[in-house]
Amino acid sequence: MKKLLTLLFTIALTSLFSCDTYKENFDVDGTGSITIKFNFLHDRAPLEYNRQYINALGQNYTLSDFRMYISNLTLRDTSGTNFYKVEDSYHLLEIIEESDTSIVITGLPNKSYSELQFSVGVDNAANYNTDQVGDLDPANGMAWNWDTGYKFMLVEGLHLVDSISTKGLVYHIGGDANYRVVKFSEQEINLANTPTMYIELDVNVDYIFGDKSEYGLPEDQRKTNFIDLNDDTDQDTMFGPNTQKIADNYAQMFTWKDIIGQ
Amino acid sequence: MERHYWSVITLLICSIYLEACDSSFKEETQASVISYQNIPAPERNKMNAEKVALGKMLFNETILSKDSSIACVHCHEPQYANGENVALSTKGVSHKKLQRNSPALINVAWAKGWFWDGGAKNIESLIFGPLTHEDEMNADLKEILVRLNQTPIYKAAFRKTFDIEEIKSAHLARALAQYVRSLLSNQTKYDAHLKGNYQFTKNEQSGLEIFKRHCQQCHTPPFFTDFDYHNNGLDKDDFFTDLNEGMSKGRGRISRNKKDNGKYKTPTLRYLNTSSPYMHDGRFATLDEVFDHYTTTILKSETLDSLLYQRITLTKEDRLMLKAFLHTLDQPNSEI
């Protein structure tokens, strides 16, 4: 009986807390605007297509196409209890022109925020209907046609096996298991004082195959996973265990660079 | 006390009355399940006669294929239960043999997954499969949308039905999905029998009994499919490989679960007269070949459906009667 009471008390307490902590605000639009610029980098320099790169395992490759979905942008205010979730927030980032690596959100409440959050991928609710407009339009080439859903990240190029032979390098990663949430709380985003903010985030694209600076570390002390490009069956490049390791890597590839009031 | 006594009696009478009505009530419900009014559709794409008509036009439209040579209807012909009369089609723009039989499109609105392996999670999303597959219509979605937007008749029709200025791929998929959902089978002899308008012959009645014993667990009335996935012993374990993007794994390719290897969606038995050849790869041309399979050639594998551990033995006479019943599900000529 005592155990039961403890359990009930715990449940009650947990539900009380979870009720209070997260309040979504959709009804208080303001004049705040944030532009988030994603700098696609490789080895700390701007990502270049068809340039020879090397992963942590010493395997050579080039990239010819890199795209990803960023979704569900959310801001948490400094009180910590309210958050503003941008509606219909699905953004396809690709290197076609500069603007394709930026996200602009407007109509934000003029408050001060302590945390910026977004996800890599498309959430479960939107992932299983591909008849959508905007960045989720399947005409953008990020939807599968044989298994309903979106590629969260598309990585294509060549795996340079040795000095003469090459193989296609293809990672099309999607599926609920590979959806990842990324959070930043380094700096305050004060839209009450400065309604227009410009944020720059670096995207270390090379981290998708493992952060090379962790090379000397034993496996259990590394934060990223070293991906073997020879694991290239469909299972490893679309939904298999390798893709979950890559997803853990892409959750770590973003770093906060700058915030500028305009 | 007296009042209580009466209420018990009333209840008893009611329940007896209900029991008596039960069987005919069930059959009547079954008959009326499949109707235009009952078509399930997602909130974002509710059935609408104008959209269905637009979908039909698009279903017959060749500009949706890369080289404007084929339309959906070429592999989903009305006279073949909105399927095709060949095992594996070569009508796609590449003219390469497809890897699965063009499925009959009948009562598919009620399904829970689409394609033979359930890879499509709704009909709107399914549409993009045949539209964009390189061996089917091979459409570049951006390109065909330019074509549609430049065709005044479509521009006007989409503006009217969807209240939009520019046609996007989502609208195209929604219109086509509505038409596909509207392809019903509910006018067979079997349906007439349920409504009391047709009396089964002796053979048909006996065939129904055989059907109930051996077939209806998977081919469940009134759809004559449970819309579920089963391994009916067409291939052995070693066939279910990663090769060819795991195509031979069937449902296992989608669920990525070994337990689903070799499973395919139960096809409906409605319009069986016009939906041959049979199975996901159209390997059997006739009903007799299908019966032969269940009687003699079921292959054992890890995922073989337990219902088929014992082979289905059908005598010559059984086959005759079973066929008689199955033909009450035929596509009536009047619908063509």
Side-chain angles (χ1 to χ4, degrees):
Chain A
M1 190 61 194
K2 202 177 165 190
K3 261 187 189 167
L4 185 72
L5 275 176
T6 320
L7 186 71
L8 280 175
F9 182 72
T10 317
I11 292 169
L13 206 67
T14 318
S15 58
L16 260 178
F17 268 97
S18 53
C19 285
D20 266 354
T21 317
Y22 303 110
K23 278 183 194 155
E24 291 190 30
N25 292 321
F26 293 116
D27 53 345
V28 278
D29 286 2
T31 61
S33 142
I34 300 177
T35 298
I36 307 172
K37 172 80 172 73
F38 292 83
N39 301 318
F40 284 11
L41 306 179
H42 198 296
D43 300 327
R44 319 223 176 267
L47 173 67
E48 281 180 56
Y49 281 161
N50 304 314
R51 179 181 172 153
Q52 193 169 328
Y53 290 125
I54 188 165
N55 71 359
L57 298 176
Q59 296 163 327
N60 292 293
Y61 63 96
T62 62
L63 297 177
S64 56
D65 201 349
F66 180 83
R67 292 183 248 171
M68 66 177 169
Y69 275 113
I70 295 292
S71 70
N72 293 302
L73 274 149
T74 304
L75 293 158
R76 189 188 298 234
D77 73 7
T78 40
S79 73
T81 57
N82 297 313
F83 69 92
Y84 185 89
K85 195 173 168 192
V86 180
E87 270 189 280
D88 274 329
S89 174
Y90 301 99
H91 315 272
L92 177 59
L93 302 186
E94 50 189 326
I95 317 178
I96 298 176
E97 46 189 272
E98 281 288 288
S99 61
D100 290 316
T101 63
S102 291
I103 294 172
V104 183
I105 34 173
T106 55
L108 296 168
N110 299 75
K111 286 183 162 192
S112 186
Y113 302 96
S114 56
E115 186 180 280
L116 166 71
Q117 180 184 312
F118 57 79
S119 301
V120 182
V122 177
D123 55 277
N124 177 287
N127 197 20
Y128 297 121
N129 303 311
T130 52
D131 57 315
Q132 308 211 48
V133 293
D135 280 11
L136 291 177
D137 187 331
N140 292 326
M142 288 291 276
W144 279 293
N145 60 17
W146 58 280
D147 185 5
T148 305
Y150 290 92
K151 300 161 196 171
F152 297 170
M153 182 174 283
L154 177 146
V155 184
E156 289 182 8
L158 280 177
H159 172 200
L160 312 170
V161 181
D162 52 43
S163 57
I164 36 171
S165 48
T166 61
K167 269 168 108 175
L169 178 101
V170 179
Y171 290 89
H172 290 177
I173 299 170
D176 292 340
N178 294 324
Y179 183 79
R180 291 290 183 281
V181 178
V182 181
K183 287 179 188 178
F184 289 101
S185 48
E186 277 86 351
Q187 289 208 42
E188 194 171 291
I189 307 166
N190 194 337
L191 298 182
N193 291 346
T194 320
T196 307
M197 287 284 198
Y198 179 87
I199 294 171
E200 270 193 63
L201 298 178
D202 282 345
V203 185
N204 299 294
V205 171
D206 45 323
Y207 282 25
I208 57 177
F209 298 133
D211 175 6
K212 270 179 282 189
S213 70
E214 294 182 319
Y215 181 72
L217 294 175
E219 205 172 328
D220 58 355
Q221 286 173 34
R222 288 180 211 146
K223 287 184 194 145
T224 60
N225 307 294
F226 291 176
I227 304 298
D228 183 352
L229 302 183
N230 291 317
D231 291 343
D232 59 357
T233 69
D234 293 333
Q235 281 294 303
D236 287 314
T237 60
M238 285 198 286
F239 300 96
N242 239 359
T243 63
Q244 289 181 41
K245 287 185 195 165
I246 290 179
D248 290 341
N249 287 351
Y250 62 56
Q252 298 175 63
M253 70 180 180
F254 302 89
T255 47
W256 183 278
K257 192 185 175 201
D258 213 352
I259 178 164
I260 306 161
Q262 289 179 325
Chain B
M1 184 60 201
E2 203 181 325
R3 222 185 278 162
H4 184 68
Y5 178 70
W6 274 111
S7 70
V8 168
I9 289 189
T10 317
L11 256 175
L12 210 65
I13 291 171
C14 276
S15 66
I16 291 169
Y17 180 74
L18 272 173
E19 279 286 306
C21 287
D22 195 33
S23 70
S24 67
F25 174 74
K26 251 188 210 158
E27 292 206 332
E28 188 44 48
T29 315
Q30 210 186 86
S32 53
V33 165
I34 308 169
S35 75
Y36 190 87
Q37 286 68 36
N38 287 347
I39 295 175
E43 198 56 46
R44 66 186 188 283
N45 199 22
K46 285 284 171 209
M47 294 301 284
N48 161 305
E50 281 185 340
K51 287 180 184 166
V52 171
L54 174 58
K56 185 174 184 179
M57 220 163 107
L58 293 160
F59 200 80
N60 288 275
E61 180 52 77
T62 54
I63 67 167
L64 300 184
S65 63
K66 186 173 184 69
D67 58 4
S68 298
S69 66
I70 57 159
C72 309
V73 74
H74 287 110
C75 296
H76 295 284
E77 298 186 64
Q79 69 266 34
Y80 302 126
N82 309 306
E84 213 177 353
N85 65 339
V86 295
L88 301 170
S89 184
T90 52
K91 282 194 195 137
V93 298
S94 70
H95 298 294
K96 276 191 201 160
K97 210 184 242 186
L98 299 187
Q99 312 206 35
R100 302 259 168 91
N101 177 254
S102 308
L105 303 179
I106 315 162
N107 302 335
V108 295
W110 284 267
K112 291 171 272 180
W114 291 266
F115 297 142
W116 282 101
D117 52 23
K121 292 181 178 66
N122 49 71
I123 302 181
E124 285 75 8
S125 305
L126 166 146
I127 299 294
F128 296 114
L131 263 183
T132 60
H133 192 286
E134 57 181 4
D135 294 325
E136 297 182 52
M137 295 167 82
N138 198 14
D140 175 327
L141 290 177
K142 284 186 175 155
E143 193 182 312
I144 63 167
L145 288 164
V146 170
R147 292 181 196 168
L148 284 175
N149 278 299
Q150 284 173 351
T151 310
I153 189 167
Y154 284 121
K155 187 91 179 159
F158 274 100
R159 184 185 293 145
K160 191 163 171 240
T161 54
F162 285 91
D163 194 23
I164 47 162
E165 279 310 307
E166 194 193 347
I167 309 163
K168 302 271 190 188
S169 62
H171 310 120
L172 169 64
R174 286 176 197 176
L176 281 165
Q178 293 232 357
Y179 174 62
V180 170
R181 284 197 179 93
S182 78
L183 300 170
L184 306 183
S185 160
N186 61 359
Q187 299 292 323
T188 64
K189 272 188 188 174
Y190 170 82
D191 298 298
H193 168 78
L194 289 190
K195 287 180 188 138
N197 299 332
Y198 175 74
Q199 185 80 39
F200 276 157
T201 65
K202 214 176 146 196
N203 274 357
E204 286 165 354
Q205 189 60 46
S206 313
L208 172 61
E209 299 309 317
I210 297 168
F211 175 82
K212 281 182 178 168
R213 254 199 320 278
H214 296 301
C215 319
Q216 80 163 11
Q217 287 198 63
C218 298
H219 295 284
T220 319
F223 295 103
F224 290 89
T225 165
D226 57 358
F227 294 118
D228 210 341
Y229 309 89
H230 301 274
N231 174 356
N232 61 344
L234 295 172
D235 297 298
K236 284 193 208 166
D237 284 327
D238 57 5
F239 193 77
F240 312 141
T241 67
D242 280 333
L243 294 173
N244 192 16
E245 297 186 335
M247 277 299 279
S248 67
K249 290 183 182 174
R251 180 68 183 156
R253 179 189 192 222
I254 302 301
S255 69
R256 292 161 203 108
N257 186 341
K258 272 167 98 176
K259 287 181 182 161
D260 290 330
N261 282 350
K263 292 185 183 176
Y264 292 92
K265 191 164 58 180
T266 315
T268 177
L269 299 181
R270 285 175 172 270
Y271 292 6
L272 209 55
N273 60 325
T274 54
S275 65
S276 64
Y278 308 112
M279 304 296 155
H280 66 280
D281 52 5
R283 68 176 70 184
F284 300 135
T286 64
L287 272 184
D288 275 309
E289 284 178 47
V290 175
F291 295 154
D292 286 344
H293 169 70
Y294 288 116
T295 306
T296 57
T297 62
I298 289 174
L299 296 172
K300 288 239 164 77
S301 63
E302 284 272 317
T303 58
L304 176 67
D305 201 288
S306 59
L307 289 168
L308 297 172
Y309 286 170
Q310 277 204 313
R311 290 170 177 188
I312 300 170
T313 313
L314 296 170
T315 65
K316 225 175 174 181
E317 204 190 4
D318 286 344
R319 286 189 183 206
L320 199 80
M321 293 188 286
L322 185 53
K323 274 191 216 168
F325 169 70
L326 291 176
H327 283 308
T328 68
L329 298 167
D330 277 357
Q331 179 168 19
N333 293 327
S334 58
E335 276 203 359
I336 297 171

